[in-house]
Amino acid sequence: MTHLKPRVLRYESLPSTNTELSRLASEGAEEGVSVVADEQTAGRGRLQRAWSSPKGAGLYFSILLRPQIATNYWPLITMMAAVAVYDTLGDACRLQADIKWPNDLLSGERKICGILAEAIETPAGRAVIVGIGINLTHDAYPAEIANVATSISEATGRAVEREAILASLLRWLSHWYSLLNEPAGAESIVNAWSNRSSYAFGKLVQVSNGDEKWQGTTSGIELDGALRLSTEDGEIRLVRAGDVYSVRSR
Ligand code: BTN
């Protein structure tokens, strides 16, 4: 059984915790080394987007993993991280979130946390940096996206304790990552993800992948993390990349 032993390095300000951890990994950092910054000056999101990261307004966190699982299961690493954040929000903040495929955490259909996983080559082999950005207060995101973003303080109406959230996150990441590396790890993560997400079954969604857009109803998750969609003409299509949006029922 893999026992993850997180070791947290703290910084006041960094361009990006993912970038700093990638540098440390290329110098031989061990699995579990984690980076937290009070602010990021060049925070990065998925699809080359910027991730607004003002001082003290978010938890800006990255952890280095060296998974033993076959690479076709690597998409489950971000889903494992989403499950860990879900449990952290429940535990540390008494907040019941939702998970949008593959790894956005939502509260009241607005985004409260984003996850950016980046695979890298290091002298000790292939590794993955899992970057997690949790909005602690509404200052974490620009006013123009306030209709699609939210924060823990906004969603709970309570003061946010960043250290308690970080401690809980480290515990849940250790728990779910250990399970992922076990022989039935893929089933464990897919089941945990599906039990926590309203997107797993019966949700009408639109998928946008480059120029292509199509709709379907979700019908479960494949063992490698792909989203199964049943389309209007009765076909099953698998989604492995792209953005998924909930569509209001007709
Ligand atoms: C997304 O687009 O939803 C993913 C956002 C990931 C943001 C986090 S904040 C900590 C880590 N460092 C980064 O530069 N990005 C990730």
Side-chain angles (χ1 to χ4, degrees), residues 145 174 222:
I145 62 162
S174 302
E222 295 283 296

Side-chain angles (χ1 to χ4, degrees), residues 55-118:
K55 193 176 171 89
L59 176 63
Y60 315 120
F61 168 89
S62 301
I63 187 163
L64 175 63
L65 301 177
R66 297 186 179 277
Q68 301 302 311
I69 56 175
T71 42
N72 57 312
Y73 290 114
W74 278 35
L76 295 179
I77 296 165
T78 54
M79 296 175 90
M80 174 284 295
V83 168
V85 174
Y86 180 102
D87 288 353
T88 298
L89 295 177
D91 234 21
C93 313
R94 283 176 283 143
L95 176 66
Q96 192 185 336
D98 191 7
I99 313 178
K100 179 164 87 73
W101 187 89
N103 55 21
D104 280 349
L105 274 288
L106 308 180
S107 172
E109 300 195 13
R110 291 193 283 158
K111 184 156 162 171
I112 201 161
C113 167
I115 298 173
L116 174 67
E118 297 177 302

Side-chain angles (χ1 to χ4, degrees), residues 16-18 40 43-46 51 61 111 114-116 131-133:
S16 155
T17 55
N18 269 31
Q40 298 183 118
R44 295 185 282 113
R46 286 175 62 233
W51 186 259
F61 168 89
K111 184 156 162 171
I115 298 173
L116 174 67
I132 298 176

Side-chain angles (χ1 to χ4, degrees), residues 10-205:
R10 292 162 189 276
Y11 297 74
E12 263 178 36
S13 180
L14 281 175
S16 155
T17 55
N18 269 31
T19 308
E20 175 62 11
L21 189 50
S22 173
R23 192 186 65 74
L24 295 171
S26 68
E27 289 177 353
E30 289 175 2
E31 178 165 77
V33 171
S34 305
V35 168
V36 177
D38 294 344
E39 71 169 355
Q40 298 183 118
T41 53
R44 295 185 282 113
R46 286 175 62 233
L47 309 172
Q48 322 293 330
R49 293 174 189 139
W51 186 259
S52 163
S53 312
K55 193 176 171 89
L59 176 63
Y60 315 120
F61 168 89
S62 301
I63 187 163
L64 175 63
L65 301 177
R66 297 186 179 277
Q68 301 302 311
I69 56 175
T71 42
N72 57 312
Y73 290 114
W74 278 35
L76 295 179
I77 296 165
T78 54
M79 296 175 90
M80 174 284 295
V83 168
V85 174
Y86 180 102
D87 288 353
T88 298
L89 295 177
D91 234 21
C93 313
R94 283 176 283 143
L95 176 66
Q96 192 185 336
D98 191 7
I99 313 178
K100 179 164 87 73
W101 187 89
N103 55 21
D104 280 349
L105 274 288
L106 308 180
S107 172
E109 300 195 13
R110 291 193 283 158
K111 184 156 162 171
I112 201 161
C113 167
I115 298 173
L116 174 67
E118 297 177 302
I120 53 167
E121 295 296 336
T122 75
R126 260 191 125 200
V128 57
I129 309 268
V130 179
I132 298 176
I134 302 179
N135 298 335
L136 301 179
T137 74
H138 70 275
D139 293 328
Y141 45 87
E144 60 268 24
I145 62 162
N147 57 336
V148 292
T150 189
S151 65
I152 292 176
S153 69
E154 194 179 356
T156 64
R158 289 187 292 273
V160 175
E161 303 205 18
R162 189 179 76 151
E163 287 309 309
I165 295 170
L166 176 60
S168 177
L169 179 62
L170 296 173
R171 276 196 303 274
W172 284 115
L173 280 170
S174 302
H175 172 80
W176 287 113
Y177 184 63
S178 299
L179 281 179
L180 173 62
N181 280 298
E182 291 206 343
E187 285 92 341
S188 302
I189 297 304
V190 167
N191 288 340
W193 191 99
S194 302
N195 289 335
R196 287 162 178 74
S197 171
S198 73
Y199 282 74
F201 291 97
K203 189 158 207 92
L204 182 64
V205 296

